[in-house]
Amino acid sequence: TTCSQLLAMTQPDAPPPQPDPFAPSFRCGCARAADGTCLFAERSCKETAEVSPTMQALIERRMFEEWDKAKSTLMVSEPAEQLHRRVQGDLRSFVNKYLNKDNQQAALSVIPLARLRERAQELAQELSQQLALIKALLEWFKKDFFSWVNTLPCERCGGKTASAGATEPTAVERMEGGAGRTELHKCQALTCGHTTRFPRYNNPVKLLTWRKGRCGEWANCFTLIVKALGYHVRLVNDYTDHVWVEVWDDAEKRWVHADCCENCLDRPLLYEKGWGKKLTYIIAVSEEGCVDVTPRYTQNFQQLNRGYCSEVHLDTFLQTVTIQQQAALPATTERAAAINHWWLDRQQLLHFLKDPTAREGESGAAVLPGRTTGSVEWRAARGELGNGAAAAAAAQCAVPP
């Protein structure tokens, strides 16, 4: 958790690490370069501090050595391979979708920025300037821009429909919106019986005009909008079937949870304590790399069912992918920012592992609600209504299709 532990292999005779590595500031005297100078010097985890080139090189060499050793000594199981493919696929998708300047320009054209800035001014007394705008964006996105789909109304008569399975998307649905599959919703009116198609679009530009879907479409479109506004943002995939984003806040030097489906900001325990989810893996991806952020979202990490691979294997794999991704960033300043984000985030995640009750911005006394999006039947079947009063409140908050 300290620099001495991270770089132990380069300094085998180094003294033991300083006590309390999670203190806000510390002085490292254990991992030293050849000339005797400290690689870290004095640093506060609440201050922006660029990681030195010497430290970056040592970390990079360490991660590649560890991954080479892991590949040669560990049998990579099929579940681990599946996780590798999913993470790498999510990373490629992020880069292709959200870093595209034409896509970002399309997103900017639909954002009522003046209105959002005005609302952010009202929220700025309680939040940083950056987070106030994100909160305003969440409100607008949920209330005015995007809509949740249980089933679509019948396109012929406007009546209620019910799910009737799924089929392959048409060539047009693939080309225009990158649909991977299409749901079929059959009209329940006896005089109609028409089947309406619901393509599950993956292209965030298409979603800017389609403006409907479930959590995948919501987070997909929202990520592009946040990126277009110039934020550092990453897409967060919960492997028990949900997705949201995290936004970097310069004021607090941390990644902040933001769920556009729930209009929820900085409530990372929402899913475990509010919805009652049994979490497994939660992986964040962006052009800065891939990080296992599960400790931010649980107070019971040691009890989670995480069977894809060993924790060492996963950590080494994600860090190696992250180093490769950061090395490909186009500008030195972007690389420095990415490394700094990674380092500060790692300290916070380690802090949560050490003290699961620690959550910045989240009151332990707050009652976190069950899920509010989707039909009551659908949420109940997924076990996401929560418990007691929270469940009763959530049951009254179904978002209409």
Side-chain angles (χ1 to χ4, degrees):
T1 55
T2 64
C3 51
S4 62
Q5 292 172 313
L6 184 64
L7 304 176
M9 87 310 167
T10 64
Q11 303 290 337
D13 299 324
Q18 300 284 329
D20 191 12
F22 301 103
S25 62
F26 62 91
R27 179 178 293 278
C28 166
C30 50
R32 294 180 177 275
D35 61 2
T37 59
C38 180
L39 296 176
F40 287 76
E42 190 170 59
R43 171 178 301 168
S44 168
C45 289
K46 288 293 183 183
E47 297 173 357
T48 301
E50 292 187 4
V51 179
S52 72
T54 305
M55 174 196 166
Q56 181 182 358
L58 286 171
I59 292 174
E60 185 170 341
R61 188 179 75 185
R62 169 64 166 168
M63 290 303 104
F64 279 120
E65 287 176 352
E66 284 298 302
W67 179 237
D68 285 340
K69 184 166 65 172
K71 287 192 294 186
S72 63
T73 60
L74 296 176
M75 283 188 66
V76 181
S77 64
E78 179 57 29
E81 288 286 6
Q82 291 175 1
L83 186 145
H84 293 180
R85 289 193 294 269
R86 178 168 180 176
V87 168
Q88 291 168 330
D90 290 341
L91 180 57
R92 285 193 299 271
S93 176
F94 187 100
V95 171
N96 292 335
K97 290 177 180 178
Y98 310 125
L99 303 191
N100 183 295
K101 297 301 182 184
D102 291 336
N103 291 359
Q104 292 181 15
Q105 196 59 43
L108 289 173
S109 69
V110 304
I111 303 172
L113 195 53
R115 169 186 160 189
L116 295 178
R117 284 175 172 164
E118 182 178 346
R119 174 58 177 151
Q121 288 297 319
E122 299 173 1
L123 298 167
Q125 293 182 350
E126 299 179 358
L127 299 167
S128 70
Q129 185 175 3
Q130 285 179 306
L131 293 186
L133 185 58
I134 291 296
K135 180 60 178 174
L137 193 67
L138 287 166
E139 293 176 353
W140 163 76
F141 193 89
K142 170 136 183 165
K143 295 176 182 178
D144 301 328
F145 188 71
F146 228 75
S147 62
W148 184 269
V149 171
N150 294 314
T151 58
L152 291 173
C154 177
E155 61 187 358
R156 177 179 291 175
C157 72
K160 292 184 178 181
T161 64
S163 176
T167 187
E168 289 293 314
T170 65
V172 173
E173 290 167 347
R174 288 186 189 276
M175 181 178 65
E176 289 187 351
R181 65 187 180 94
T182 296
E183 295 181 10
L184 302 176
H185 298 166
K186 187 174 181 178
C187 183
Q188 299 299 285
L190 296 177
T191 56
C192 182
H194 177 73
T195 297
T196 298
R197 297 175 67 87
F198 175 35
R200 302 303 302 274
Y201 289 127
N202 290 307
N203 185 335
V205 176
K206 174 65 176 179
L207 293 172
L208 292 171
T209 54
W210 182 244
R211 300 185 183 182
K212 61 177 72 75
R214 302 196 189 106
C215 59
E217 290 95 336
W218 282 61
N220 190 352
C221 188
F222 190 73
T223 302
L224 177 61
I225 288 174
V226 176
K227 192 66 181 174
L229 289 172
Y231 282 86
H232 293 285
V233 60
R234 55 192 190 186
L235 191 64
V236 182
N237 289 286
D238 163 23
Y239 283 27
T240 59
D241 193 24
H242 191 45
V243 59
W244 57 88
V245 307
E246 288 182 346
V247 180
W248 180 261
D249 181 30
D250 286 328
E252 298 194 19
K253 300 294 184 292
R254 64 186 178 101
W255 290 102
V256 178
H257 155 258
D259 188 330
C260 58
C261 294
E262 301 293 301
N263 184 19
C264 188
L265 181 69
D266 202 14
R267 288 293 180 266
L269 294 181
L270 172 70
Y271 313 107
E272 183 175 80
K273 298 301 183 184
W275 296 14
K277 285 176 76 71
K278 304 299 182 184
L279 302 171
T280 57
Y281 294 91
I282 302 177
I283 309 294
V285 300
S286 75
E287 76 275 20
E288 297 184 3
C290 309
V291 179
D292 180 6
V293 295
T294 311
R296 178 172 292 116
Y297 295 92
T298 180
Q299 292 183 323
N300 303 290
F301 185 86
Q302 301 302 328
Q303 285 73 50
L304 301 185
N305 182 14
R306 289 164 60 93
Y308 277 109
C309 57
S310 73
E311 297 298 338
V312 171
H313 182 106
L314 176 62
D315 191 50
T316 305
F317 167 70
L318 293 177
Q319 290 193 50
T320 303
V321 172
T322 295
I323 289 167
Q324 293 171 330
Q325 190 63 30
Q326 290 176 356
L329 292 175
T332 302
T333 53
E334 292 183 31
R335 287 194 294 274
I339 293 170
N340 200 52
H341 294 165
W342 173 84
W343 175 255
L344 295 176
D345 189 39
R346 190 165 179 82
Q347 301 312 301
Q348 187 183 56
L349 293 170
L350 289 169
H351 193 179
F352 293 153
L353 286 175
K354 179 185 179 183
D355 181 6
T357 64
R359 290 294 184 278
E360 293 188 59
E362 186 159 17
S363 170
V367 176
L368 296 171
R371 186 169 192 160
T372 62
T373 46
S375 68
V376 174
E377 294 78 14
W378 181 75
R379 287 178 283 150
R382 293 165 59 95
E384 295 174 350
L385 279 173
N387 299 305
Q396 303 301 316
C397 297
V399 176

